[in-house]
Amino acid sequence: MKKIVAIFCFLTMFSCDKIKSFILKEDKKTNEPIIASVGETNLYLSDVANVVPRGTPKNDSLVLVKSFITSWAKQQLLLKKAEENISEVNSKKINELVKNYKESLYTNGYKEALINQQLDTLITKQSIEKYYTNNKDNFRLNEELIQLKYVYFGQDFLDKKEAIEKFKSNSIEDLEALENLTINFKDYMLRDSSWVSYDDVLLKIPPFRYESKEKLLKKSKFIQKEDSLGVYLVAVNNVLKRNDIAPLSYIENNIKQLILHKRKIELVREIEKTLINDAIKNNEFKEY
């Protein structure tokens, strides 16, 4: 550890999350303050500028900075020893991996920039429906879905009897009257045709966890459950089982992503094709 030169002794002032002053050395080439070095590698003041969180006490700040410098020194020493002791064969492999990774970063970054510029991200309702119709068998469920009407209110709710009566009714007038009470509900889902997974229903309605799955996965006009927190009113309007085809509304966002992914692949192929053709045309690419 003698090769490590720690150039600071103490912190003298702090402002926000930046270190105000160190006893430190200055890099003659860059005029950048150095706070530690391992061999020819330097750690600069700017490298530790954000190490200390805002509002950290002075003594804790010093501990954090010292810890950071020690970790940095260990990493540099390990790297130095690795470079000194690695075989020539392994070194060539590492250099090749680095080269390939660098090339991959450049090419992927360039492709991504072109995609962001040229990709058509507008997806119409018609294109979603068409994709769904043509690929229905690929959208089979691996979970149960439930379409339900649902109300949850506290045990102290004063209009409990009225809410139950309105909930049981099928008339539009009673549904509208029930909606007028929703301000006092803890949670509800009334005119919603959304599909909810069976697991999410159990999270929403804890008493259902003690009911058999078979009982819940069937249509039911009215189920009332209570616990210490409140009263749950449920009507199961529809059920889809595993391996049924998922409803479009449930997977619409997934289909959008699939369409975008397909467009990206096609765009990349077109970009690559254009690059090859242009290179041949400009005599930049030749096959011998």
Side-chain angles (χ1 to χ4, degrees), residues 16-274:
C16 298
D17 61 338
K18 292 193 176 183
I19 302 155
K20 280 284 187 178
S21 67
F22 273 102
I23 296 176
L24 41 74
K25 183 179 178 180
E26 191 174 85
D27 190 324
K28 292 181 181 179
K29 294 181 180 178
T30 64
N31 295 324
E32 175 84 21
I34 302 171
I35 60 173
S37 65
V38 174
E40 299 299 319
T41 305
N42 297 326
L43 180 69
Y44 296 98
L45 181 61
S46 59
D47 295 326
V48 298
N50 297 313
V51 169
V52 181
R54 186 187 301 273
T56 305
K58 181 176 178 179
N59 290 338
D60 293 340
S61 299
L62 180 56
V63 170
L64 286 172
V65 174
K66 282 185 175 180
S67 176
F68 179 85
I69 293 173
T70 301
S71 296
W72 173 85
K74 289 177 182 177
Q75 180 65 23
Q76 295 304 315
L77 288 168
L78 284 170
L79 178 60
K80 186 175 177 62
K81 286 294 182 184
E83 290 173 341
E84 291 172 354
N85 291 280
I86 196 167
S87 69
E88 186 177 345
V89 174
N90 286 334
S91 180
K92 287 181 179 179
K93 288 181 180 179
I94 290 172
N95 288 336
E96 186 65 25
L97 287 172
V98 171
K99 177 176 174 292
N100 292 339
Y101 183 59
K102 180 180 178 181
E103 290 176 354
S104 177
L105 286 176
Y106 272 106
T107 55
N108 289 338
Y110 178 64
K111 285 180 184 178
E112 199 63 36
L114 290 176
I115 287 170
N116 289 337
Q117 291 174 5
Q118 301 179 28
L119 182 66
D120 178 12
T121 57
L122 179 63
I123 301 176
T124 64
K125 190 80 173 176
Q126 290 79 5
S127 62
I128 293 172
E129 291 173 352
K130 182 179 178 181
Y131 192 96
Y132 175 73
T133 301
N134 294 338
N135 298 275
K136 276 189 176 182
D137 280 339
N138 295 330
F139 300 122
R140 296 197 174 272
L141 293 168
N142 58 5
E143 60 181 344
E144 296 86 359
L145 299 184
I146 301 175
Q147 201 176 51
L148 49 76
K149 183 170 72 171
Y150 158 76
V151 161
Y152 168 43
F153 50 80
Q155 290 285 5
D156 57 349
F157 180 52
L158 298 178
D159 297 317
K160 175 179 176 181
K161 185 177 180 181
E162 180 186 358
I164 293 174
E165 289 177 356
K166 302 299 182 186
F167 187 89
K168 286 181 177 180
S169 173
N170 293 321
S171 73
I172 297 297
E173 292 78 10
D174 285 338
L175 180 58
E176 291 174 348
L178 186 63
E179 287 176 332
N180 291 331
L181 299 175
T182 55
I183 192 172
N184 298 306
F185 295 163
K186 293 185 176 182
D187 196 9
Y188 63 92
M189 186 185 297
L190 296 177
R191 293 178 183 263
D192 202 333
S193 59
S194 299
W195 290 91
V196 184
S197 73
Y198 171 75
D199 290 338
D200 285 342
V201 170
L202 296 186
L203 290 174
K204 231 178 217 307
I205 310 171
F208 274 11
R209 299 171 194 172
Y210 307 104
E211 297 288 337
S212 68
K213 197 172 188 179
E214 290 74 20
K215 184 177 180 180
L216 295 176
L217 292 177
K218 62 181 181 181
K219 293 183 180 182
S220 175
K221 289 187 177 181
F222 181 73
I223 302 173
Q224 180 177 340
K225 292 291 178 183
E226 298 187 24
D227 60 17
S228 59
L229 299 176
V231 179
Y232 306 82
L233 308 180
V234 179
V236 178
N237 299 326
N238 213 341
V239 173
L240 289 174
K241 305 287 183 68
R242 288 175 184 267
N243 209 40
D244 286 344
I245 293 175
L248 176 58
S249 60
Y250 191 71
I251 56 170
E252 186 171 344
N253 287 332
N254 290 347
I255 291 177
K256 286 181 180 179
Q257 294 305 313
L258 288 169
I259 293 173
L260 279 177
H261 182 67
K262 184 180 179 182
R263 288 181 183 177
K264 281 184 180 181
I265 292 174
E266 292 172 350
L267 179 57
V268 168
R269 286 174 180 166
E270 189 62 34
I271 289 170
E272 292 172 344
K273 181 180 177 181
T274 301

